[in-house]
Amino acid sequence: MEVILKEKDAADWVYRGEGAANLVLAYVGSSPAFIGKVMRVHKSPRNGSEGIKSPSSLTAHERLLWKDVDELISSSNNEIAGQHFVQHVMKPLLGSKYVDAGMRVLVSREFLESIGKNVICQRPTWRVDTAQVDAHCDSVLLLSDHSIFPHGSPQANVCISVEIKPKCGFLPLSRFISERTAVKRRITRVQMHQALKLHQGEISELSEYNPLDLFSGSKERLHKAIKDLFTSPQNNFRVFLNGSLIFGALGGGATNTNFLIAQAFEDALKPVIQAGDGLRTENLLNLVATGLHKSGVLDRLLEVQKLDNDDIEGAIHAYYDITSQKCMVCTELSEEQAKRHASIHSASLDDSLKMVRDYLIAATAKDCSLMICFRPRDQGDSGSVNNNVHLESTRQTFDFKVYFIDLDLKRLNKMEEYYELDKKIITLLSLCSLKTVLSVELLCSRCSQKVMKLIATIEGITSIVLDQAKNTVTVIGEADPVRIINRVRKFRKSAKIVSIGPPKEEKKDAIPIPQTLRLCQRCDVWYVIAEDGYNYCSIL
């Protein structure tokens, strides 16, 4: 860490994006030491405690948890601990070929303060209100920019990269999941969390993305997952051309892809995808699916995610044992329910440590991102040190590389947060029936009948009310809202989910479906017989 970045150097770093804990900045200067690099800058809460630094090292319980990783437990601060976690825990699990632990670089306080001022206008407002650059840090993490290929400047070669947040790729089978929370065995965590976000107003529409498709091992389902991410990117899908963002949002959730966004993206792909108008986006999505399938990185990631054998419903009990606290979860359970977790509380300390350690490693794997970067190979180039994939439809061959990023160390005190979030999601989806309100164009009686038939076949529905005057459908039951909207869109592609939440007492005088058959033009089918096909008899 001999290099020290000072205030004058801040102008060479531009905003690339951010997560909950860090800002990411890309280098645009001319120094060979930093070309092709990005920087992660730690953030601190904007809560009035500006001068208070976070703990300088791991807690005593965390040092016990990671006792087998000497470099981690001897770290002098959180940032260095995070780097050692990536280097000595995640890198061996995910493969050294796909993980970059980076290096620490010394910075001055003036450099960090200047960075904070320079990027504030580019950051999402809600991010600015929540956190600021932590000017008390004395170093930042320097990493390779995995949105471009190494060697030389970003402009040396045309390249396109896609950043994906895969999320949890399996349905849990833990024996500690109770009957009350069994919905977790049927609906993916992403889909459940989407319902909560929609209910809380954090998103306006549900994403159709299903991680089970991405991790299925089937190239067709993988391709479907990529298309769904493109349609509803939120904060899970971004695309960069030569290191510059051309699709998705910096630091926040992107809106669903409409015609204008899709057209602008199609035009932006001209330098890299050699296809006609209207075909470039589909070819890129196919390229991403093919590259991910060939790389095998999703299998590696899924294996690490599955270290979570016990779900938070089991791991939280081990957490209280490690911290020598009274188990607050058991105090909420009946005596019969508490017996289910007796085996955890009677386990050895080493077994409890392993359970929590595996859960936290899996949490990192469920929350990380992967970056897949493509560079068209020049004609006549016969070899490359990188993997390559051939796009038959455009007759192009691409070198590609894949890296995992955002492999953050999950702190021990987050266990209670994970449990509370799990409870909140389950409360919405399982403890009561769910009320899903759809906006559907209901132009006539037959429209209503078709929508009713499509929804009625879904298991777990107790009530369907159609309001033709308002073009709404209200569904009550335990059925997955994503499944409901997907079924309705077979008839009306424009259908949208308006709200999801616990049902209130419904009025008994709900408007019934009209019985008089009045047909709209879409449903009213006319049969026309061509004039030359009409045979008639004549006596003349």
Side-chain angles (χ1 to χ4, degrees):
M1 293 198 297
E2 63 280 359
V3 177
I4 300 180
L5 293 174
K6 299 181 180 179
E7 184 177 7
K8 63 181 178 61
D9 302 309
D12 293 332
W13 297 90
V14 297
Y15 183 76
R16 172 65 65 80
E18 64 185 289
N22 298 283
L23 284 170
V24 179
L25 302 122
Y27 186 69
V28 294
S30 57
S31 171
F34 297 113
I35 288 176
K37 301 293 184 181
V38 294
M39 173 190 296
R40 280 178 47 143
V41 180
H42 189 255
K43 298 192 297 186
S44 61
R46 195 184 291 274
N47 57 6
S49 55
E50 183 178 348
I52 300 175
K53 295 182 67 174
S54 55
S56 59
S57 60
L58 302 183
T59 66
H61 291 125
E62 286 176 319
R63 289 196 293 273
L64 181 63
L65 187 70
W66 303 106
K67 61 183 179 180
D68 296 330
V69 188
D70 293 338
E71 296 84 354
L72 180 54
I73 62 174
S74 61
S75 301
S76 58
N77 60 51
N78 293 338
E79 289 69 46
I80 293 177
Q83 183 187 8
H84 284 308
F85 171 75
V86 174
Q87 179 69 39
H88 300 288
V89 178
M90 299 307 298
K91 196 169 185 175
L93 288 171
L94 292 172
S96 58
K97 181 180 178 181
Y98 306 109
V99 177
D100 175 13
M103 61 177 288
R104 305 300 303 183
V105 175
L106 292 173
V107 293
S108 68
R109 177 167 183 155
E110 291 74 21
F111 172 83
L112 294 174
E113 289 174 343
S114 184
I115 285 290
K117 293 175 184 176
N118 292 347
V119 305
I120 194 167
C121 293
Q122 298 167 276
R123 299 177 60 200
T125 303
W126 70 274
R127 294 280 196 189
V128 174
D129 293 340
T130 303
Q132 60 195 349
V133 170
D134 187 352
H136 297 284
C137 294
D138 58 4
S139 67
V140 295
L141 184 65
L142 195 68
L143 300 151
S144 294
D145 186 349
H146 298 299
S147 70
I148 60 175
F149 269 79
H151 311 304
S153 68
Q155 290 74 29
N157 297 288
V158 175
C159 62
I160 193 160
S161 57
V162 177
E163 180 184 343
I164 296 172
K165 256 191 184 311
K167 298 297 185 179
C168 182
F170 68 98
L171 294 174
L173 299 173
S174 168
R175 61 192 176 97
F176 299 111
I177 295 175
S178 65
E179 292 181 10
R180 179 179 61 85
T181 60
V183 65
K184 291 194 283 189
R185 302 181 191 272
R186 305 192 306 271
I187 303 177
T188 68
R189 181 70 173 198
V190 164
Q191 291 167 320
M192 291 193 297
H193 206 174
Q194 283 278 303
L196 178 64
K197 287 181 176 181
L198 185 65
H199 178 59
Q200 294 178 332
E202 295 180 30
I203 57 174
S204 58
E205 290 186 56
L206 289 177
S207 170
E208 294 183 24
Y209 168 61
N210 186 342
L212 299 186
D213 290 330
L214 191 75
F215 287 93
S216 66
S218 160
K219 188 177 176 182
E220 291 73 24
R221 288 183 65 186
L222 199 161
H223 185 254
K224 177 186 181 301
I226 300 299
K227 289 183 72 173
D228 289 340
L229 283 165
F230 175 75
T231 302
S232 305
Q234 295 185 5
N235 66 335
N236 301 322
F237 190 82
R238 299 195 295 171
V239 183
F240 299 86
L241 180 65
N242 294 335
S244 298
L245 185 77
I246 60 170
F247 182 83
L250 287 175
T255 58
N256 281 6
T257 305
N258 58 33
F259 175 79
L260 293 176
I261 294 172
Q263 188 58 53
F265 182 65
E266 176 79 12
D267 293 341
L269 294 178
K270 286 181 181 179
V272 65
I273 302 293
Q274 297 174 3
D277 289 343
L279 300 175
R280 288 185 285 270
T281 298
E282 180 61 29
N283 275 289
L284 175 68
L285 301 182
N286 184 43
L287 180 66
V288 174
T290 303
L292 287 175
H293 189 265
K294 183 175 181 178
S295 70
V297 293
L298 292 171
D299 293 335
R300 286 175 172 268
L301 182 61
L302 184 60
E303 188 176 344
V304 180
Q305 290 184 355
K306 286 185 174 180
L307 288 174
D308 174 18
N309 289 315
D310 306 295
D311 192 73
I312 188 62
E313 290 189 61
I316 189 66
H317 295 272
Y319 161 77
Y320 283 115
D321 288 340
I322 291 171
T323 56
S324 302
Q325 300 179 69
K326 180 180 180 181
C327 182
M328 303 306 296
V329 177
C330 284
T331 61
E332 302 172 355
L333 304 176
S334 67
E335 186 176 344
E336 186 64 30
Q337 291 172 327
K339 287 181 181 178
R340 180 192 296 267
H341 306 99
S343 60
I344 301 177
H345 290 299
S346 62
S348 68
L349 178 59
D350 282 343
D351 286 343
S352 296
L353 290 168
K354 183 180 186 306
M355 182 181 289
V356 173
R357 187 167 57 244
D358 285 350
Y359 179 85
L360 291 174
I361 292 172
T364 293
K366 293 173 189 176
D367 200 35
C368 74
S369 297
L370 62 84
M371 186 78 77
I372 181 166
C373 184
F374 298 91
R375 177 179 59 188
R377 180 180 289 184
D378 295 332
Q379 290 185 354
D381 186 356
S382 58
S384 172
V385 296
N386 302 287
N387 291 327
N388 65 80
V389 62
H390 185 68
L391 194 58
E392 185 62 39
S393 54
T394 65
R395 298 182 180 180
Q396 289 176 279
T397 299
F398 294 81
D399 294 325
F400 77 95
K401 59 172 185 164
V402 187
Y403 273 87
F404 294 106
I405 59 176
D406 300 335
L407 296 168
D408 299 316
L409 170 66
K410 304 301 182 183
R411 302 304 298 262
L412 183 60
N413 59 11
K414 286 187 70 70
M415 291 294 292
E416 291 178 302
E417 291 180 31
Y418 290 138
Y419 182 72
E420 290 302 318
L421 177 60
D422 192 70
K423 277 204 318 184
K424 192 178 293 186
I425 290 173
I426 295 303
T427 298
L428 180 67
L429 292 179
S430 184
L431 293 184
C432 61
S433 293
L434 207 59
K435 176 181 175 182
T436 304
V437 180
L438 311 176
S439 171
V440 187
E441 194 176 25
L442 302 172
L443 300 178
C444 71
S445 303
R446 190 171 291 177
C447 291
S448 299
Q449 290 172 0
K450 288 180 179 179
V451 170
M452 175 72 81
K453 286 182 180 179
L454 285 168
I455 299 174
T457 57
I458 300 175
E459 186 180 350
I461 288 177
T462 57
S463 169
I464 307 171
V465 177
L466 294 92
D467 189 332
Q468 194 171 316
K470 296 181 179 178
N471 284 322
T472 61
V473 180
T474 302
V475 183
I476 295 177
E478 297 180 355
D480 178 7
V482 174
R483 191 176 178 193
I484 295 172
I485 191 64
N486 285 344
R487 188 68 61 87
V488 174
R489 282 177 177 166
K490 290 182 178 180
F491 174 62
R492 283 281 190 267
K493 289 186 178 180
S494 60
K496 295 181 180 179
I497 293 181
V498 176
S499 64
I500 296 175
K504 299 177 182 177
E505 284 296 321
E506 299 294 332
K507 295 181 179 180
K508 300 298 181 182
D509 56 347
I511 300 174
I513 302 172
Q515 297 302 311
T516 307
L517 190 61
R518 293 176 288 126
L519 303 182
C520 65
Q521 287 184 341
R522 295 190 194 180
C523 295
D524 196 6
V525 180
W526 289 77
Y527 295 92
V528 180
I529 301 175
E531 209 174 292
D532 4 350
Y534 180 69
N535 296 320
Y536 60 93
C537 62
S538 173
I539 61 173
L540 296 178

